[in-house]
Amino acid sequence: MILHGRTEETATIERLLDDARTGRSGCLVLRGEAGIGKSALLDHAATAAKGMRVLRSNGIASESELPFAGLHLLLGRVVDRVDSLPEVQAQALRGALGLAPASGGDRFLVGLAVLTLLADLAEEKPLVCFVDDAHWLDRESADALLFAARRLQAEGVALLFAARDLHAPEFPASGLPELRLAGLARADASELLADSTTDLSPHARDWILNESRGNPLALVELPSAQRNDTMYASPYSVGNLSTPNRIQQTFAERIAALPERSRNLVFVAAAEETGDLALVLAAAEQLGACVEDLEPAERQLLLRMDGNHLAFRHPLIRTAAYRNIPANQRLTVHRALARSLDSSGPSSVADIDRSAWHWAAASTGPDESVAAKLEHSAERARARGGHAAVAAAYERAAALSPHPPDRGLRLEAAAQAAADAGQLDQAVALAEDASTYRTDAAALARITLIRAAVADEQDRSTTAHTMLVEAAASAAEEDPETAGRLFFHAAVAAWNADDLAAVDRTAQRATALQLPGTERVRALARVIAGQNHRVHDHAADGTVALRELVDSMDSGHGIEKLRDKTKVGWWHLLLGEFEAAHELATTLDRECRAQGAIGVLSLVLMLLARTQLSIGKHHEALASATEGLRIAEDTGQSRVRVYLSTVLAQLAAISGDEQRCGALTDEALSRGVAPGTTHAAGALSLLDLGMGRYESAVDRIAEVVAGRNRQGVLSSIPDFVEAAVRLDQPWRVRQAQEWYQAWASNIGKPWAQAIALRCQALLGDDTEAEHHYARAVELHQQGGNPFDRARTELLHGEWLRRVHRRSDARSPLRSALDVFERLGADPWTERASIELRATGERITTPSGEPDLLGRLTPQELQVVRLAATGLSNREIGNQLFLSPRTVGYHLSNAYPKLGVASRRELVGLDLFR
């Protein structure tokens, strides 16, 4: 087939295929209007994929609500390879494809299974996958394929999607390369028109060239319409339509011209997405059609036989056919298909679900039997991780429910599923509809929780708080336990909204009503009071309240248990129990990876990265935060993404990377929600302090300290003190320093007391400084963050040099310099070097061993550490959500950086410091 005017596009695709043949993976999304040539380019790619394995799939509008339908079509010929996957992945993919009972696992685990399967296939020969009409993919298939696409690196896999731009659902593929197709140039369009027809008058030819706007399908299809005088003779009815609609109208007219029985057969084929010939003919028989009636449709180039399946020559033909079925006949078509599926004895879960949807499409009013079928379909979809399909099935089941309570219950289930699928606006609309049919307090509370959670996620936390308080008050008498739960969530929402007074009011109201669980609401209010030091005595009580919250957390079950334990980790962090938080986060990280709980993994990595930063494991924090950020982007967890960005910003501040630190803090500062805002301000102030911009550092932290919600600012108060002292403005930080000292005393951690002593030394006179610094260094030896210890040693050495004890100053300054160099803290390394030189000591650079780990990328570091423990490439890939070949690629890049030649030599390196 000759493609006119697509030289650059075909060259881009052929480069993608060539890269795959040499082991480099890649992805490309073709975008453009209907008929612009996306499918033709995929056909060209299939022809050009010589020596490669080819897998093809396409999205179908009527299948867009059936979970994993598109994935089933793509992988149908290679399902025998699923058994070779790691068991947890194989189980998830079998369930998704209906090959085994669904496991109910995380939907992103299916994406990992797809990635591993594609990589395994590419081990044998380079692989290319084509997905046409990707905009019609069911959400679950799209999520799995995009998850895999974003992680392709060194497998030898090429993945091409074709998606329509207009008049179709969105196909969001952020981060993937795109190629947008425009209409053909006039000369190329003229050549294509000449190839497709030779009997047009010059006038008709010019009209078609003008009207087609370079759309290849229009150039092929408009001539037949013009010959029948349906286009040129009727400019007012058709000529003013968009090009895709104009093409669609020509198909509709061609279908209308078929004999009645052939037309009915086309209608049945349009309504049955699988194209199963036996099923289509069985249903068409009920409308008086038979196999002989296919011939007129084939002759008109509408349908073609493809083995035991019927295929439309272009997706727009199916669309035109289905849209033009008369309303009463459409009911008959779907009823015939449902009967045929039921009478043949459905052979798979997909057949059962299709039958339910055909019965639903054939219904004209409430029908409990059909609603029940859809409800069962929804629950099967839930077990397969298809939350969007759950929402769609329950919403349709609700519409068919004869009894209002059942309708409300199903709308509630649809709302929850929509929220789980990330369809937040849809979730709110469904929840509001559900509330009109539910009257019991427990149901209304659940519905309110759905609406409030969405509002909170959309940064409408004040609205969420109001909804929850009102619902809790309404439920207090009928369902006090639920009301107590709602008040706790209301207090959290108020905190997120930066309305600390509302937290207190919520606690007071819950207490007055004497609800179960009120103690947790009061504890949260006390924690917030302690975090914000509105009264100094609150700091001690806030610490006690934190311990009460840790003790009161429910253990939960399954995935919820992981979520609850993650919350406990954050309470440990607020208590300064960094080692306990790190141990818990590390355990949760292993459990999430073992269970494939990717949605929870981003939350765990957020905790793990912060704990690693807090104990000085900067390389690990960089790797965890980078991985967590990528997962959060995949899952749409915006708050997690922002928080992880502030961890990376802190690391950038320590290294002195000003541009990166600024970029990573922009979103957190613009959102204005603590602790993201305070951590962002803290990172920027630390950068300023390291760069010697003391006034800027003081101003940043002073603004946060003076604000209403100071959650997270405690860690920046030592920076506040140091910068203010260097500006000779100690009066600005006295109160903040007293708060920090009280907190350090309350939590009783040696490292916190050491930092408090450092601040006292800075603010006191020389007679006190010696004792405070010496005691602080002793306490730092008992654990904590090496970066904090080095900063104390640096300040101690500076003080010793300033009081003319240069010989004594060298030891702490050398120790500080070694730590700063190892951590890659360039501004602080420079400061320590200058001070050490001022004592008269000569410095060789670098002062210590080369930082081998600093040479690795975050992902290389993760890979080599796991390899050093003896894990295979496949096992490493299973943990890090990479293909085994990409693991091997990272190892091959890491070896020369580390000066080793094999994984055996990794064991002798200090990879875990």
Side-chain angles (χ1 to χ4, degrees):
M1 178 180 64
I2 298 176
L3 289 179
H4 295 277
R6 297 299 188 200
T7 304
E8 292 184 11
E9 291 85 348
T10 55
T12 299
I13 291 172
E14 287 166 10
R15 280 195 299 271
L16 185 71
L17 299 180
D18 287 341
D19 285 345
R21 291 188 181 99
T22 60
R24 294 192 300 274
S25 296
C27 180
L28 184 64
V29 181
L30 304 176
R31 293 194 185 273
E33 67 177 21
I36 203 65
K38 303 182 294 296
S39 299
L41 282 170
L42 292 186
D43 288 339
H44 171 82
T47 302
K50 293 181 174 63
M52 305 179 74
R53 184 197 295 267
V54 177
L55 298 179
R56 296 197 72 154
S57 179
N58 60 282
I60 299 173
S62 54
E63 284 193 339
S64 61
E65 292 173 343
L66 291 173
F68 300 110
L71 197 61
H72 196 289
L73 188 58
L74 180 71
L75 303 179
R77 293 193 290 115
V78 293
V79 292
D80 58 310
R81 304 296 295 272
V82 173
D83 291 342
S84 65
L85 300 178
E87 182 51 36
V88 67
Q89 296 181 31
Q91 185 179 4
L93 191 52
R94 288 190 204 104
L97 299 179
L99 303 175
S103 62
D106 194 299
R107 61 192 173 116
F108 289 100
L109 182 58
V110 179
L112 176 59
V114 171
L115 174 64
T116 306
L117 179 58
L118 297 183
D120 284 354
L121 293 170
E123 287 278 357
E124 301 166 3
K125 61 163 59 174
L127 174 68
V128 58
C129 301
F130 303 119
V131 182
D132 204 353
D133 279 342
H135 50 276
W136 288 122
L137 278 177
D138 58 278
R139 187 185 182 101
E140 290 71 30
S141 292
D143 283 345
L145 290 170
L146 290 172
F147 182 92
R150 292 190 180 103
R151 285 158 178 77
L152 290 171
Q153 295 182 43
E155 299 81 4
V157 177
L159 184 53
L160 283 90
F161 296 97
R164 196 184 305 169
D165 263 344
L166 302 172
H167 311 296
E170 183 184 5
F171 177 64
S174 59
L176 297 183
E178 293 190 354
L179 182 60
R180 196 165 296 277
L181 304 182
L184 300 178
R186 181 83 175 191
D188 296 316
S190 183
E191 287 184 12
L192 176 57
L193 183 58
D195 282 352
S196 62
T197 184
T198 59
D199 60 347
L200 292 173
S201 67
H203 186 72
R205 179 186 178 82
D206 287 342
W207 182 86
I208 291 171
L209 286 171
N210 290 333
E211 291 298 311
S212 69
R213 299 181 182 91
N215 184 293
L217 186 60
L219 289 164
V220 172
E221 299 298 335
L222 289 181
S224 61
Q226 199 280 336
R227 288 190 199 99
N228 295 328
D229 294 330
T230 58
M231 300 295 284
Y232 179 64
S234 307
Y236 298 106
S237 62
V238 179
N240 59 349
L241 296 176
S242 67
T243 300
N245 284 344
R246 189 178 297 120
I247 300 167
Q248 193 166 300
Q249 175 126 351
T250 69
F251 289 140
E253 289 164 353
R254 198 178 304 173
I255 294 166
L258 291 173
E260 181 181 0
R261 293 194 303 183
S262 297
R263 189 166 60 247
N264 288 342
L265 197 149
V266 171
F267 289 160
V268 172
E272 173 43 47
E273 64 279 353
T274 65
D276 184 307
L277 180 60
L279 176 58
V280 170
L281 290 177
E285 248 182 65
Q286 299 175 51
L287 280 72
C290 62
V291 68
E292 286 78 14
D293 295 309
L294 275 174
E295 193 272 335
E298 289 180 298
R299 192 171 60 247
Q300 286 296 318
L301 302 180
L302 298 170
L303 284 172
R304 70 172 185 270
M305 292 288 295
D306 185 6
N308 293 324
H309 287 76
L310 281 176
F312 284 91
R313 195 169 58 83
H314 193 278
L316 280 181
I317 303 174
R318 177 192 290 274
T319 303
Y322 190 77
R323 287 183 177 176
N324 285 277
I325 305 175
N328 63 329
Q329 192 170 0
R330 185 177 299 178
L331 302 177
T332 303
V333 165
H334 283 290
R335 194 174 297 118
L337 284 164
R339 286 172 179 159
S340 297
L341 279 165
D342 291 348
S343 64
S344 64
S347 58
S348 69
V349 170
D351 286 344
I352 298 171
D353 289 338
R354 269 198 296 274
S355 171
W357 278 101
H358 281 306
W359 280 119
S363 299
T364 58
D367 188 326
E368 177 57 31
S369 66
V370 178
K373 290 177 188 291
L374 284 171
E375 183 171 337
H376 294 150
S377 176
E379 290 309 313
R380 285 189 293 271
R382 188 193 305 281
R384 296 158 71 189
H387 297 297
V390 175
Y394 265 117
E395 182 179 7
R396 182 64 176 135
L400 293 172
S401 300
H403 306 296
D406 292 336
R407 181 172 298 184
L409 189 63
R410 285 161 175 160
L411 282 169
E412 179 189 332
Q416 184 61 66
D420 293 341
Q423 300 170 336
L424 302 186
D425 292 336
Q426 177 73 353
V428 170
L430 289 166
E432 289 175 350
D433 285 349
S435 65
T436 64
Y437 296 99
R438 305 306 304 274
T439 56
D440 57 298
L444 289 172
R446 291 193 301 269
I447 292 168
T448 300
L449 277 173
I450 295 170
R451 295 172 59 206
V454 171
D456 205 21
E457 179 65 20
Q458 293 177 332
D459 282 340
R460 295 185 290 113
S461 298
T462 299
T463 301
H465 168 74
T466 301
M467 286 193 293
L468 288 163
V469 167
E470 291 175 355
S474 299
E477 186 173 344
E478 184 179 337
D479 191 349
E481 186 170 341
T482 296
R485 228 167 30 99
L486 289 171
F487 271 122
F488 180 76
H489 287 293
V492 172
W495 192 4
N496 290 340
D498 205 13
D499 190 348
L500 306 184
V503 178
D504 288 337
R505 291 195 302 271
T506 304
Q508 291 166 8
R509 193 166 181 183
T511 301
L513 292 170
Q514 298 182 336
L515 296 171
T518 297
E519 64 280 357
R520 294 183 71 216
V521 188
R522 289 200 302 267
L524 185 65
R526 289 158 54 206
V527 167
I528 293 170
Q531 286 277 304
N532 287 277
H533 78 110
R534 284 171 287 172
V535 178
H536 286 307
D537 290 345
H538 286 172
D541 185 55
T543 302
V544 173
L546 272 172
R547 298 195 186 282
E548 291 174 7
L549 282 175
V550 170
D551 294 338
S552 70
M553 289 298 292
D554 296 330
S555 59
H557 301 283
I559 300 300
E560 287 308 311
K561 183 176 181 179
L562 297 177
R563 292 182 183 275
D564 287 345
K565 285 186 175 180
T566 302
K567 293 174 186 175
V568 173
W570 287 109
W571 299 132
H572 281 308
L573 267 183
L574 291 176
L575 287 166
E577 298 170 349
F578 296 154
E579 293 293 345
H582 180 254
E583 182 179 352
L584 177 58
T586 302
T587 300
L588 292 173
D589 179 67
R590 285 197 300 268
E591 291 181 9
C592 283
R593 295 182 193 279
Q595 296 181 35
I598 299 177
V600 183
L601 180 59
S602 58
L603 301 174
V604 171
L605 287 171
M606 180 171 70
L607 172 65
L608 181 59
R610 180 59 67 178
T611 62
Q612 289 166 334
L613 177 62
S614 300
I615 61 176
K617 293 182 176 292
H618 292 190
H619 292 304
E620 291 90 333
L622 177 62
S624 297
T626 301
E627 183 185 12
L629 192 64
R630 185 178 64 181
I631 293 173
E633 288 170 347
D634 282 342
T635 55
Q637 294 167 295
S638 59
R639 285 187 178 172
V640 177
R641 186 190 70 244
V642 171
Y643 191 94
L644 284 164
S645 294
T646 65
V647 175
L648 293 171
Q650 187 86 1
L651 292 167
I654 291 170
S655 68
D657 191 336
E658 190 162 4
Q659 184 175 359
R660 179 167 168 77
C661 186
L664 287 165
T665 53
D666 282 346
E667 187 175 3
L669 292 174
S670 66
R671 286 166 66 94
V673 177
T677 300
T678 49
H679 285 314
L684 291 168
S685 64
L686 179 62
L687 177 71
D688 288 333
L689 182 61
M691 297 291 190
R693 299 191 292 255
Y694 306 123
E695 187 169 356
S696 178
V698 166
D699 289 344
R700 286 187 199 278
I701 307 177
E703 183 178 356
V704 177
V705 169
R708 292 176 302 163
N709 192 342
R710 305 171 183 87
Q711 182 191 2
V713 76
L714 270 167
S715 60
S716 294
I717 287 179
D719 304 339
F720 191 28
V721 171
E722 182 178 343
V725 169
R726 291 185 181 277
L727 287 175
D728 197 23
Q729 297 176 354
W731 51 271
R732 297 186 66 176
V733 297
R734 294 283 184 191
Q735 188 178 23
Q737 186 269 336
E738 290 171 6
W739 177 32
Y740 187 91
Q741 189 168 334
W743 174 78
S745 176
N746 288 328
I747 66 171
K749 303 301 174 190
W751 63 265
Q753 294 170 341
I755 295 174
L757 285 166
R758 181 176 88 202
C759 292
Q760 288 181 262
L762 283 168
L763 291 169
D765 56 34
D766 286 347
T767 59
E768 299 173 327
E770 172 69 10
H771 168 72
H772 290 328
Y773 278 129
R775 180 59 180 153
V777 171
E778 287 179 14
L779 289 170
H780 274 306
Q781 302 304 319
Q782 298 181 39
N785 192 336
F787 181 65
D788 285 329
R789 187 196 78 208
R791 287 183 58 185
T792 298
E793 291 171 332
L794 173 61
L795 289 168
H796 187 201
E798 288 176 344
W799 179 83
L800 288 168
R801 186 187 64 78
R802 195 175 69 249
V803 296
H804 310 296
R805 293 167 58 183
R806 294 193 300 172
S807 179
D808 292 338
R810 289 169 189 155
S811 178
L813 289 174
R814 282 192 214 102
S815 177
L817 180 60
D818 287 344
V819 173
F820 291 145
E821 284 182 340
R822 178 167 58 82
L823 294 177
D826 293 347
W828 302 88
T829 298
E830 182 65 19
R831 274 181 54 182
S833 298
I834 291 171
E835 285 295 326
L836 197 51
R837 289 192 189 96
T839 67
E841 180 158 323
R842 297 184 65 183
I843 301 174
T844 57
T845 305
S847 64
E849 292 295 320
D851 181 15
L852 295 179
L853 301 188
R855 300 174 180 177
L856 304 179
T857 67
Q859 202 154 76
E860 288 169 355
L861 177 61
Q862 287 181 301
V863 168
V864 297
R865 280 180 166 158
L866 291 172
T869 67
L871 295 183
S872 67
N873 287 6
R874 197 173 190 80
E875 291 167 330
I876 295 170
N878 192 35
Q879 288 209 28
L880 298 182
F881 311 113
L882 301 171
S883 73
R885 288 189 69 173
T886 293
V887 171
Y889 172 77
H890 286 309
L891 283 173
S892 66
N893 285 339
Y895 288 160
K897 294 179 182 179
L898 297 173
V900 300
S902 71
R903 64 201 307 139
R904 280 196 304 250
E905 297 178 63
L906 294 175
V907 179
L909 299 179
D910 184 10
L911 298 172
F912 296 89
R913 67 171 182 266

Coordinates of all heavy atoms in Angstrom, one line a residue, residues 117-150:
L117 N 5.5 -9.7 30.6 CA 5.1 -10.6 29.5 C 5.7 -10.1 28.2 O 6.2 -10.8 27.4 CB 3.6 -10.7 29.4 CG 3.1 -11.6 28.3 CD1 3.6 -13.0 28.4 CD2 1.5 -11.7 28.3
L118 N 5.5 -8.8 27.9 CA 6.1 -8.2 26.7 C 7.6 -8.4 26.7 O 8.2 -8.7 25.6 CB 5.7 -6.7 26.6 CG 4.2 -6.4 26.5 CD1 4.0 -4.9 26.3 CD2 3.5 -7.1 25.4
A119 N 8.2 -8.2 27.8 CA 9.7 -8.3 27.8 C 10.1 -9.8 27.6 O 11.1 -10.0 26.9 CB 10.2 -7.9 29.2
D120 N 9.3 -10.7 28.1 CA 9.6 -12.1 27.9 C 9.5 -12.5 26.4 O 10.3 -13.2 25.8 CB 8.7 -13.0 28.7 CG 9.0 -13.0 30.2 OD1 10.1 -12.5 30.6 OD2 8.3 -13.6 31.0
L121 N 8.4 -12.0 25.8 CA 8.2 -12.2 24.4 C 9.4 -11.6 23.5 O 9.8 -12.2 22.5 CB 6.9 -11.7 23.9 CG 5.6 -12.3 24.5 CD1 4.4 -11.5 24.2 CD2 5.5 -13.8 24.0
A122 N 9.8 -10.5 23.9 CA 10.9 -9.8 23.2 C 12.2 -10.5 23.4 O 13.2 -10.2 22.6 CB 11.0 -8.3 23.6
E123 N 12.4 -11.3 24.4 CA 13.6 -12.1 24.5 C 13.8 -13.0 23.4 O 14.9 -13.3 23.0 CB 13.5 -12.9 25.8 CG 13.7 -12.2 27.1 CD 15.1 -11.9 27.5 OE1 16.0 -12.3 26.7 OE2 15.3 -11.2 28.5
E124 N 12.7 -13.5 22.8 CA 12.8 -14.4 21.6 C 13.0 -13.7 20.3 O 13.8 -14.1 19.5 CB 11.5 -15.3 21.6 CG 11.2 -16.1 22.9 CD 9.8 -16.6 22.9 OE1 9.1 -16.4 22.0 OE2 9.5 -17.2 23.9
K125 N 12.3 -12.6 20.1 CA 12.5 -11.8 18.9 C 11.9 -10.4 19.2 O 11.0 -10.3 20.1 CB 11.8 -12.4 17.7 CG 10.3 -12.6 17.8 CD 9.7 -12.8 16.4 CE 10.2 -14.0 15.7 NZ 9.5 -14.3 14.4
P126 N 12.4 -9.4 18.6 CA 11.8 -8.0 18.9 C 10.3 -8.0 18.7 O 9.8 -8.7 17.8 CB 12.5 -7.1 17.8 CG 13.8 -7.9 17.5 CD 13.5 -9.3 17.6
L127 N 9.7 -7.2 19.5 CA 8.2 -7.2 19.6 C 7.6 -5.9 19.3 O 8.2 -4.8 19.7 CB 7.8 -7.6 21.0 CG 6.3 -7.6 21.3 CD1 5.5 -8.6 20.5 CD2 6.0 -7.8 22.8
V128 N 6.6 -5.8 18.5 CA 5.8 -4.6 18.2 C 4.4 -4.8 18.5 O 3.8 -5.8 18.1 CB 6.1 -4.1 16.8 CG1 5.6 -5.1 15.8 CG2 5.3 -2.7 16.6
C129 N 3.8 -3.9 19.3 CA 2.3 -4.0 19.6 C 1.6 -2.7 19.1 O 2.1 -1.6 19.3 CB 2.2 -4.0 21.2 SG 3.0 -5.4 22.0
F130 N 0.5 -3.0 18.4 CA -0.3 -1.9 17.8 C -1.7 -1.9 18.5 O -2.3 -2.9 18.7 CB -0.5 -2.1 16.3 CG 0.7 -2.2 15.5 CD1 1.0 -3.4 14.8 CD2 1.6 -1.2 15.5 CE1 2.1 -3.5 14.1 CE2 2.8 -1.3 14.8 CZ 3.0 -2.5 14.0
V131 N -2.1 -0.7 19.0 CA -3.4 -0.5 19.6 C -4.1 0.6 18.8 O -3.8 1.8 19.0 CB -3.3 -0.2 21.1 CG1 -4.7 -0.1 21.6 CG2 -2.5 -1.3 21.8
D132 N -5.0 0.2 17.9 CA -5.8 1.2 17.2 C -7.0 1.7 18.0 O -7.5 0.9 18.9 CB -6.2 0.6 15.8 CG -6.5 1.7 14.8 OD1 -6.4 2.9 15.1 OD2 -6.7 1.3 13.6
D133 N -7.5 2.9 17.7 CA -8.7 3.4 18.4 C -8.5 3.3 19.9 O -9.4 2.9 20.6 CB -10.0 2.7 17.9 CG -10.5 3.2 16.6 OD1 -10.1 4.3 16.2 OD2 -11.3 2.5 16.0
A134 N -7.3 3.7 20.3 CA -7.0 3.6 21.8 C -8.0 4.4 22.6 O -8.1 4.2 23.8 CB -5.6 4.0 22.0
H135 N -8.6 5.4 22.0 CA -9.6 6.3 22.8 C -10.8 5.4 23.3 O -11.5 5.9 24.2 CB -10.0 7.5 22.0 CG -10.5 7.1 20.6 ND1 -9.6 6.9 19.6 CD2 -11.7 6.8 20.1 CE1 -10.3 6.6 18.5 NE2 -11.5 6.5 18.8
W136 N -11.0 4.3 22.6 CA -12.2 3.5 23.0 C -11.7 2.3 23.9 O -12.5 1.5 24.3 CB -12.8 2.9 21.8 CG -13.6 3.8 21.0 CD1 -13.5 4.2 19.6 CD2 -14.7 4.7 21.4 NE1 -14.4 5.1 19.2 CE2 -15.2 5.4 20.3 CE3 -15.4 4.8 22.6 CZ2 -16.2 6.3 20.4 CZ3 -16.4 5.7 22.7 CH2 -16.8 6.5 21.6
L137 N -10.5 2.3 24.3 CA -10.0 1.2 25.2 C -10.8 1.4 26.5 O -11.0 2.5 27.0 CB -8.5 1.3 25.5 CG -7.5 0.7 24.5 CD1 -6.1 1.0 24.9 CD2 -7.7 -0.8 24.3
D138 N -11.1 0.2 27.1 CA -11.6 0.3 28.5 C -10.5 0.8 29.4 O -9.3 0.7 29.1 CB -12.0 -1.1 29.0 CG -10.9 -2.1 28.9 OD1 -10.7 -2.6 27.8 OD2 -10.3 -2.4 29.9
R139 N -10.9 1.5 30.5 CA -10.0 2.2 31.3 C -8.9 1.2 31.9 O -7.7 1.6 32.0 CB -10.7 2.9 32.5 CG -9.8 3.8 33.3 CD -10.6 4.3 34.5 NE -9.8 5.2 35.3 CZ -9.8 6.5 35.3 NH1 -10.6 7.1 34.4 NH2 -9.0 7.3 36.0
E140 N -9.3 0.0 32.2 CA -8.4 -0.9 32.9 C -7.3 -1.3 31.9 O -6.1 -1.4 32.3 CB -9.2 -2.1 33.4 CG -10.0 -1.9 34.6 CD -11.3 -1.0 34.2 OE1 -11.8 -1.1 33.1 OE2 -11.8 -0.3 35.1
S141 N -7.7 -1.6 30.6 CA -6.7 -2.0 29.6 C -5.7 -0.8 29.4 O -4.5 -1.0 29.3 CB -7.3 -2.4 28.3 OG -8.0 -3.6 28.5
A142 N -6.3 0.4 29.3 CA -5.5 1.6 29.0 C -4.5 1.8 30.2 O -3.3 2.1 29.9 CB -6.4 2.8 28.8
D143 N -5.0 1.7 31.4 CA -4.1 1.9 32.6 C -2.9 0.8 32.5 O -1.8 1.2 32.8 CB -4.8 1.7 33.9 CG -5.7 2.9 34.2 OD1 -5.5 4.0 33.7 OD2 -6.6 2.8 35.1
A144 N -3.2 -0.4 32.3 CA -2.2 -1.4 32.3 C -1.2 -1.2 31.1 O 0.0 -1.3 31.4 CB -2.9 -2.8 32.1
L145 N -1.7 -0.9 29.9 CA -0.8 -0.7 28.8 C 0.1 0.6 29.0 O 1.3 0.6 28.6 CB -1.6 -0.6 27.5 CG -2.2 -2.0 27.1 CD1 -3.1 -1.8 25.9 CD2 -1.1 -3.0 26.7
L146 N -0.5 1.6 29.5 CA 0.2 2.9 29.7 C 1.3 2.7 30.8 O 2.4 3.2 30.8 CB -0.7 4.0 30.0 CG -1.5 4.5 28.8 CD1 -2.6 5.5 29.3 CD2 -0.7 5.1 27.7
F147 N 0.9 1.9 31.9 CA 1.8 1.6 32.9 C 3.0 0.9 32.4 O 4.2 1.3 32.7 CB 1.1 0.7 34.0 CG 2.0 0.4 35.2 CD1 2.0 1.2 36.3 CD2 2.8 -0.7 35.1 CE1 2.8 0.8 37.4 CE2 3.6 -1.1 36.2 CZ 3.6 -0.3 37.4
A148 N 2.8 -0.1 31.5 CA 3.9 -0.8 30.9 C 4.7 0.1 30.0 O 5.9 0.1 30.0 CB 3.4 -2.0 30.1
A149 N 4.0 0.9 29.2 CA 4.7 1.8 28.2 C 5.6 2.8 28.8 O 6.7 3.0 28.3 CB 3.6 2.6 27.4
R150 N 5.3 3.3 30.0 CA 6.1 4.3 30.7 C 7.4 3.6 31.3 O 8.3 4.3 31.7 CB 5.3 5.0 31.8 CG 4.3 5.9 31.2 CD 3.6 6.8 32.2 NE 2.6 7.7 31.7 CZ 1.3 7.5 31.8 NH1 0.9 6.5 32.4 NH2 0.5 8.3 31.2

